[in-house]
Amino acid sequence: MLGNEREKIRHLLVIQDLQGRRTVPLREATYSLGRHSANTIVLASRSVSMQHAILLRVTVPETEQYGFQIIDGNYKGKASTNGLFVNGERCYSHNLKHGDVIAFGSNQAQAKYYAISNLSEQAFSESSEIEDLSGFLSEQAEPANPFQTLAVDPTFEAASEAALARLASFPELIPNPIIEMDLEGTVTYLNPAATLKFPKLRETGMQHPILQGLLSAVKNLETNSFMREVEVGTEIFEQSVLYLRESDLIRTFIARDITEQKQATAELRQRDRLLQAVAEAANYLLGEMNYETGIEKAIAVLGEAAKVDRAYLFQNHPHPATGEIAVSLRFEWTCSFIQPTYDSWQNQPYQACGLTRWYDVLYSGQSISGLTRTFPIAEQELLIRDKVLSLLLVPLRLENEFWGYLGLADCTYERHWSRHEESTLLTMAASITGARQRQQVEEKIRYQALHDMLTGLPNRLLFDEMLNKALPNASRKGESLAVIFLDLDRFKVINDTLGHTLGDKLLKEVAQRLNDSLRKGDTVARWGGDEFIILLPRVNNIEEVTQVAERILQTLEKAFHLQGHELYISASLGIALLDSNSPNAETLIQHADTALYHAKDKGRNNYQFYSVSLSAKNPELLTLEKSLRYALERKEFSLYYQPRVSIATGEITGMEALLRWQHPDMGLVAPSVFIPLAEQSGLIVPIGEWVLRTACKQNKAWQDAGLPPLMMAVNLSLKQFRQPQLVETVAKILQQTGLEPHFLELEITETTAIEDLEFTRTVLQDLQQMGVHLSIDDFGTGHSSLSRLQLLPLHNLKIDKSFIQDLTHDVKVAHIIKAIVSLGRSLGLRLTAEGVENQEELEFLRSIHCEDVQGFLFYRPLSAQKATEILESKRPTV
């Protein structure tokens, strides 16, 4: 037993009445003894009053111990009928000492008081179950010395019974308010603390919050007491209510002032609401493809969570007339009964409107917070016009530039803004600027995806988009349109003899001359290499097209003076008109291409219109396509494998399967030549299935040889991806080859991915459920954005090699790559950069935390045998 337990005095009351003998361990501060069932200790004897006596715990002066005082009668001062006797002497009150014997009116109900030490808590608890208490206590340590008689006023023994009863409850000394009232609602007692705290309580009576509803509450009580919370003005209290049935009184005790606790709880709830709003707003800003829609939703969520009347975003800009710095309201949310202020906050010059202080403070990165009446007069006038009573503003910064501010306003009452509200608004401002920066990056990426980086002209994707928009317009207006395919004659000779740098400059000059030779509304795009394509969206007669074609040929006749060289170049043009033979975008481009071949056959430097007679394919392509149909069965295809390398470790993490065609007569045919042919003819489906099966079989063979397992990446063309049985085909090949699905990665281009986003998502989800990894190939060359691709279940993102080639000499490209990596990683995607050829490119990719690379810096595409040798050489040694 611990030392402090040995020193502690334990108090017991052994009761003998008509029900027998029992022991009560005295733990509580107050006990009521009597015959009624509502008493704490019930005594079984008719000589005992309904409430015969009160047992009150009293601290012994100058000690930490306590004893008990017994008082005759109840809390109202009504004495017992048959009196209270201690050690044979009648008394109104008595400070109990160890061994005192108490008689309640007669010998039918008696009690003996014990105060002992050296009694453990367990033994103290068990004492109530002991029949032979004397024997039990004799086994414990010796009884403690009797307590000293408590120091009591000399007139105490002569005091009235009512005075003794009042002393028993100590209400006069307690600092907590205590109020008593009867069942008629009359206040019968207020202690000094209650009088001080609630001076108008007697005057107000039952209408006072402390007493309101108590009478009805106690009528249906199953117990004698309950707790409740009451609001008195701006304060909130925890109130204990005790119903004294024997005396028909309601006693209330104000346990504690919980105003601060409630305020803290309310603040925590408000913080939770604001944090949830920030998370929800961030989701809108990240998930919405439309930036402005995301901002509107985010500000609405913030306004509702903050319980304000207005939430708005202002943007800085030059004044359209004077050029001075001005501000305009861009987005505004208001609650239902507040009028919008959008129109009155457009093109407001800071200086002229008296808002120079706002600009200076917010520009410095500080917030503006306060009540309208404390602001300078000029600011007050603007805010009073909008009925704003209090305002909170935080700056919006984008790439260290102060471009606007975010604000909350209250028009209902003068609100004092908390630090948490300010920090929440700052967090929201950071999210909005992040979304704005992401929008700018996506715009750059979109521009990059839709424009040729060399000439700045639209690329084939943007041209396709423009052509598809122009077709219905032409049909609706009863007009025609024309597509002109242009190929520079003998450009390859210039490029090979004088170098790519000069060749690129020549292409830029050609692009500029082509643009200058077109009509307003016409479009020229770079198709690739030295090929251009032109859209004439409004054609009323064939002479208009002829004039444009002749003007193009004439503009190219003039010499190009580049780097001291005088260069001459010509072009061949193929033209297709919108008609019954060329009714859609696909046939228009195809027929213009056919007409171009015809123009070249005619000796170049001329133009030819498409006609049905030109439908026969170019003889070389026709021969190639015929050979392609037998290449698979003649086993002319082979797969090469290009390793994918981890930047961090230098280890090979995967292989990409690359198709090669060894033609018996023409030798090695470039994939860029035969794959489009295979796609157009539909041969890509059986060829693609062969590629997939061969790659999976090779990967399983490497695993069976004990080589470390790695990922095998296989490209899917558009037509392959669109075939109805793709998922079943993949599953079948995996089963036949024995390769586990998570070692296969299927790659599709972003153009394929977004052509039908819903179809793509369905197919990719089926493949993902199978366990196959999924990747977007050549990212940045298609017409998409990460906000759209995040809807797809992707694992990997491959940055197109055209970005990597430009990265070391174009800082804009470096920023774009960095943004792609950052956004990709935020979406949980693994990033692979293609076409890495030098150490400088690798170090940049390492610095922005791109995970993997492919390129000649590490490995060129390898035959199966060479790839096996490489993997064998890297096998871990035991």
Side-chain angles (χ1 to χ4, degrees), residues 2 45 150 180 225 239 295 395 403 405 443 550 584 633 719 792 801 873:
L2 298 175
S45 171
L150 296 178
E180 287 180 357
S225 63
Q239 182 183 23
I295 293 288
W403 67 278
Y405 48 91
E443 287 175 352
E550 290 177 348
N584 52 48
E633 64 184 68
K719 192 160 288 186
L792 304 176
K801 62 183 178 182
S873 69

Side-chain angles (χ1 to χ4, degrees), residues 82 92 140 276 340 357-358 366 425 437 455 556 601 608 649 694 696 742 759 761 785 852 868:
N82 296 315
Y92 291 113
Q140 311 298 320
Q276 185 177 354
R357 183 182 76 95
W358 284 17
Q366 302 298 310
L425 198 59
Q437 190 169 16
T455 63
L556 294 177
D601 290 341
Q608 296 293 323
T649 66
T694 305
C696 289
H742 59 272
F759 173 85
R761 180 159 48 184
S785 68
D852 297 325
T868 303

